[in-house]
Amino acid sequence: MSFPLTRMRRLRHNPVLRDMVTETKVTTNDLIMPLFVCPGKNVKNPINSMPGNYQFSIDLLVEECKSLMDVGIRAIILFGIPEEKDDTGMIAAHDHAIIPQAIDAIKKQVPGMYVIADVCNCEYTTHGHCGVIVDGDVDNDKTFDSLVAQCITFARHGVDMVAPSDMMDGRVLRIREGLDSEGYYNTPIMAYSAKYASAFYGPFRDAADSAPQFGDRSSYQMNPANSNEAIREIELDIAEGADIVMVKPALSYMDIIRRARDRFDLPIAAYNVSGEFAMVKAAAEKGWIDENRIIKEILTSIKRAGSDIILTYHAKHFAEKLQ
Ligand code: PBG
């Protein structure tokens, strides 16, 4: 059937009907808010390139978690800014390190909050790379020790989920084995599976003080030109035991999200990263775009592309103003 019997505009005239036939709806259940935690007390350092985001000391991080819960954001992902760094990132796995301490405080004071820990080394290494350096490059297998140790420590402190973002081959398997050997077989792994070597991470590296001191991350993160390779990465992470796979960044990689959705049946997450967030904020500040409408459109289209879960710095704003 076609025109004049079919008229697509018929379903668009009435706002009630428009709502009724809306295919994609973003809710606070879909969102994870990233938070940065730093040493000290009563610290709330604004992150310049990410307006409305802060490095929080643990006491104020807990307050932020309470206010997120109040608006219906019930999941966070934590990034640590440590007191001290080392060569391997092993420093992040001590019981007194910043993330285990933050997990303790949140679990005690905001027990309903679902706490995910990003697992990587770049925030904790002196050189800013995601693993152990051998002959000027990140050594894949030597990097497992600190990743697995971090996961086991975080699990002991009650983390709800771990999310390795380092892009080493085989790390999901090693982490799964490590967690299981300590009895944490119910701790899910959300793998940053298709993580690209992207310029969109710029603001995050200031926020987390994690910029590489030499070279870049192209020997471990993916080439933005590749799509088939993303499918292989995701397939391998699933085979190694990933419970949720992630595509990152989101907006320039909607095609990857869609391919993954069409091919795999497990939950897919997409990371609406710092640079994507910063561009919206900067244009809104200049009055060039309608911030609220843009945020809603961005989150809706990331979900429409096929992701079930969105990690986004817009989460709190969305919960407060855009539902
Ligand atoms: C750590 C990590 C990064 C991000 C999340 N985990 C930075 C990087 O790989 O350089 C980026 C998040 C963002 O830009 O919002 N490896």
Side-chain angles (χ1 to χ4, degrees):
M1 236 193 299
S2 57
F3 185 83
L5 296 178
T6 300
R7 287 177 182 270
M8 295 304 286
R9 292 183 58 196
R10 243 180 242 138
L11 293 178
R12 295 183 196 139
H13 284 297
N14 182 296
V16 176
L17 183 57
R18 274 206 302 274
D19 283 348
M20 214 178 280
V21 299
T22 298
E23 294 177 40
T24 308
K25 287 174 190 159
V26 176
T27 76
T28 50
N29 291 339
D30 308 320
L31 306 180
I32 299 171
M33 177 75 189
L35 293 175
F36 300 93
V37 53
C38 67
K41 263 204 153 89
N42 209 21
V43 181
K44 186 177 175 182
N45 286 335
I47 300 163
N48 282 341
S49 51
M50 300 172 68
N53 289 263
Y54 303 86
Q55 298 174 335
F56 291 107
S57 54
I58 290 175
D59 50 337
L60 297 190
L61 180 77
V62 167
E63 294 312 310
E64 183 64 11
C65 286
K66 288 180 186 162
S67 74
L68 286 167
M69 279 297 249
D70 287 343
V71 297
I73 299 293
R74 298 176 299 162
I76 56 167
I77 182 163
L78 289 178
F79 296 94
I81 297 129
E83 196 118 41
E84 280 176 274
K85 303 193 184 215
D86 66 7
D87 291 354
T88 62
M90 195 53 105
I91 202 159
H94 295 169
D95 282 305
H96 293 289
I98 188 87
I99 294 294
Q101 294 298 309
I103 298 167
D104 282 351
I106 298 168
K107 281 285 149 193
K108 196 162 150 207
Q109 296 178 65
V110 198
M113 183 56 85
Y114 193 84
V115 180
I116 305 165
D118 179 87
V119 176
C120 196
N121 293 309
C122 58
E123 297 120 87
Y124 309 105
T125 49
T126 45
H127 45 74
H129 276 287
C130 299
V132 176
I133 304 292
V134 176
D135 296 334
D137 192 15
V138 172
D139 186 279
N140 194 83
D141 299 15
K142 286 195 168 61
T143 299
F144 294 149
D145 287 350
S146 62
L147 298 174
V148 174
Q150 281 185 52
C151 289
I152 291 173
T153 304
F154 300 166
R156 188 163 59 243
H157 287 260
V159 83
D160 291 297
M161 182 189 282
V162 292
S165 65
D166 52 284
M167 287 298 278
M168 296 304 119
D169 291 317
R171 91 284 205 208
V172 173
L173 177 65
R174 288 287 181 270
I175 289 171
R176 186 69 272 156
E177 289 171 346
L179 287 171
D180 288 2
S181 72
E182 300 290 320
Y184 301 115
Y185 43 77
N186 272 330
T187 306
I189 299 173
M190 174 164 67
Y192 287 69
S193 299
K195 178 175 179 182
Y196 287 86
S198 170
F200 285 100
Y201 308 150
F204 174 94
R205 290 180 188 171
D206 292 337
D209 183 24
S210 65
Q213 299 303 301
F214 62 91
D216 59 26
R217 303 209 201 289
S218 308
S219 81
Y220 42 106
Q221 298 181 348
M222 281 185 55
N223 177 350
N226 294 356
S227 163
N228 295 333
E229 188 187 347
I231 300 305
R232 293 188 69 203
E233 282 282 7
I234 293 169
E235 215 156 38
L236 288 165
D237 281 358
I238 295 171
E240 290 176 28
D243 299 281
I244 299 173
V245 292
M246 191 197 297
V247 175
K248 176 186 177 193
L251 295 180
S252 292
Y253 300 87
M254 298 282 213
D255 55 325
I256 312 297
I257 299 174
R258 173 44 58 186
R259 279 190 73 180
R261 174 72 297 151
D262 288 343
R263 178 124 167 195
F264 304 110
D265 293 325
L266 79 179
I268 295 173
Y271 201 138
N272 176 214
V273 299
S274 57
E276 298 171 338
F277 172 85
M279 292 193 305
V280 170
K281 288 290 176 186
E285 209 175 278
K286 285 186 173 289
W288 290 349
I289 56 169
D290 178 334
E291 183 181 8
N292 286 343
R293 286 190 58 202
I294 291 265
I295 293 172
K296 203 158 182 187
E297 190 171 329
I298 284 174
L299 297 179
T300 304
S301 33
I302 295 172
K303 191 166 174 187
R304 190 201 61 231
S307 62
D308 305 284
I309 299 167
I310 306 172
L311 297 90
T312 179
Y313 305 95
H314 296 298
K316 191 176 184 189
H317 181 96
F318 175 88
E320 284 171 339
K321 302 216 170 85
L322 301 178
Q323 294 195 80

